[in-house]
Amino acid sequence: MKKPLFILMSILILSSCGPNNNGYNEQALIDLESDDVGYAPRNESMKLSADSYSGRAMATSNFAEQDQTSKIITTANLNMEVVSLEKFEASLSELLSKHKANISNQSRNDSDRRLEANFTIRVPQDQFNSLFDGLKPFAKKVEHQSLNQQDVTEQFIDVETRLKNRKALEARYLELLKKANNVNDMLNIERQLNQVRTEIESQEGRLKYLSNQVDMSTIQLNAYEVKPYVFEPESQDNFGQRILKSLANGWASLINGVMWVIGLWPLILVIGLIILVVKKRKA
């Protein structure tokens, strides 16, 4: 405790020693901050390094009291055939309500052979197993199922630690801001403070996302109904319609033949000229 007090007294003395010493000069701030965080390399921007400050924050935090429960993100896929998709959707609504789950995304597709629906279900982690097992009795046939569990405990602790470090860093900057007695120091501290707050918001957003993924498991459900095959014979024309079609086809064939003959006029002309020349020579 003597060293920080000595440095603080030195700063106060220097701040009153003439026009060239503007209150908290940058080097004095760096010395004071470095002394508080243990060891931190000096720089020219009077920026408190979050990584340097992490040593102090981690030392003061009691990790023995932190919740070390594993953080697991659970996702599952279930593809199944149902007897009636309409009845299944009604039962699904009741089942989700029972397990405090909800549908975050839904789509439907109607093809010639089957009717299917896709659901993205979000369910509390402690209700996941009972809901996943509760869906299967509605299936006529379970075509595919899979389960994936991702352990994000390390990521969770890392984000929490970074967030605590930056909040501690923010508090330290606020203390320094109160002690600053000139505009230059205030502007420099506020610039670094804004950067730290941006990092805090980013880490809080990441932590919120991870917490949501851990607390709420996801089930990708595809349910489909196979439509019964129905034979649909081609419609047959009656006798009168068939006669009319035959007459129309015959007339069309005649017209096409005439058009084909007319299209041969150059060849007919050449053959006629040859015949004419041959007759003249014989005469």
Side-chain angles (χ1 to χ4, degrees):
M1 296 301 294
K2 292 182 179 181
K3 189 175 180 181
L5 180 60
F6 172 76
I7 296 175
L8 181 59
M9 293 178 63
S10 300
I11 294 172
L12 294 175
I13 294 172
L14 290 172
S15 63
S16 61
C17 292
N20 294 328
N21 296 304
N22 297 322
Y24 290 90
N25 60 75
E26 294 186 3
Q27 189 59 53
L29 281 171
I30 295 170
D31 291 341
L32 181 58
E33 294 158 9
S34 298
D35 183 76
D36 281 348
V37 300
Y39 173 76
R42 298 184 178 184
N43 53 59
E44 298 178 0
S45 64
M46 67 173 282
K47 175 182 177 181
L48 277 174
S49 169
D51 294 333
S52 299
Y53 201 77
S54 63
R56 179 173 179 265
M58 292 177 65
T60 57
S61 61
N62 188 355
F63 284 98
E65 295 179 359
Q66 289 187 0
D67 183 11
Q68 297 295 331
T69 304
S70 296
K71 305 294 183 180
I72 306 295
I73 296 178
T74 304
T75 57
N77 289 276
L78 183 61
N79 187 10
M80 64 186 193
E81 179 186 350
V82 296
V83 176
S84 171
L85 187 60
E86 183 178 355
K87 292 180 179 179
F88 171 73
E89 288 179 333
S91 301
L92 177 63
S93 179
E94 296 179 2
L95 187 64
L96 295 182
S97 177
K98 176 182 176 181
H99 293 285
K100 302 177 182 179
N102 62 81
I103 297 175
S104 63
N105 190 30
Q106 180 178 356
S107 63
R108 194 180 183 96
N109 182 39
D110 188 358
S111 62
D112 293 336
R113 295 303 308 274
R114 72 183 196 176
L115 178 64
E116 65 178 334
N118 296 284
F119 308 90
T120 300
I121 301 172
R122 301 280 288 161
V123 56
Q125 189 181 47
D126 58 349
Q127 298 287 324
F128 169 80
N129 289 330
S130 55
L131 176 58
F132 191 69
D133 293 336
L135 289 168
K136 297 176 185 177
F138 294 99
K140 179 180 179 181
K141 179 180 67 175
V142 175
E143 193 168 279
H144 171 76
Q145 61 177 321
S146 64
L147 176 67
N148 179 58
Q149 291 186 312
Q150 180 184 4
D151 190 340
V152 292
T153 307
E154 185 175 348
Q155 295 182 40
F156 204 94
I157 294 176
D158 179 66
V159 174
E160 280 188 327
T161 301
R162 290 175 181 273
L163 182 58
K164 289 179 181 179
N165 293 342
R166 278 155 179 76
K167 285 186 175 181
L169 191 60
E170 179 188 31
R172 185 70 182 104
Y173 274 130
L174 290 173
E175 293 177 5
L176 294 175
L177 187 61
K178 292 177 181 179
K179 297 176 183 179
N181 57 7
N182 66 73
V183 175
N184 184 54
D185 287 345
M186 291 177 64
L187 292 176
N188 287 334
I189 295 174
E190 286 178 351
R191 183 175 64 254
Q192 303 302 334
L193 188 58
N194 289 335
Q195 182 177 343
V196 171
R197 284 172 173 168
T198 299
E199 294 173 353
I200 289 175
E201 291 178 0
S202 176
Q203 297 298 333
E204 286 178 338
R206 177 63 178 167
L207 188 62
K208 183 178 179 181
Y209 171 79
L210 287 175
S211 298
N212 180 263
Q213 294 298 307
V214 169
D215 295 340
M216 298 290 289
S217 300
T218 303
I219 300 176
Q220 297 289 349
L221 173 64
N222 172 260
Y224 65 91
E225 170 191 348
V226 177
K227 295 180 179 180
Y229 176 74
V230 179
F231 175 72
E232 296 180 357
E234 295 182 1
S235 60
Q236 297 290 335
D237 296 332
N238 56 36
F239 183 72
Q241 290 174 330
R242 295 174 66 181
I243 290 177
L244 292 175
K245 282 187 177 180
S246 297
L247 290 174
N249 292 335
W251 178 252
S253 298
L254 176 61
I255 297 299
N256 291 334
V258 172
M259 294 297 104
W260 181 79
V261 172
I262 293 175
L264 295 177
W265 71 265
L267 179 60
I268 295 173
L269 180 60
V270 171
I271 294 174
L273 290 174
I274 293 174
I275 294 173
L276 182 63
V277 171
V278 171
K279 285 182 178 181
K280 284 184 179 181
R281 286 183 178 180
K282 287 182 178 182

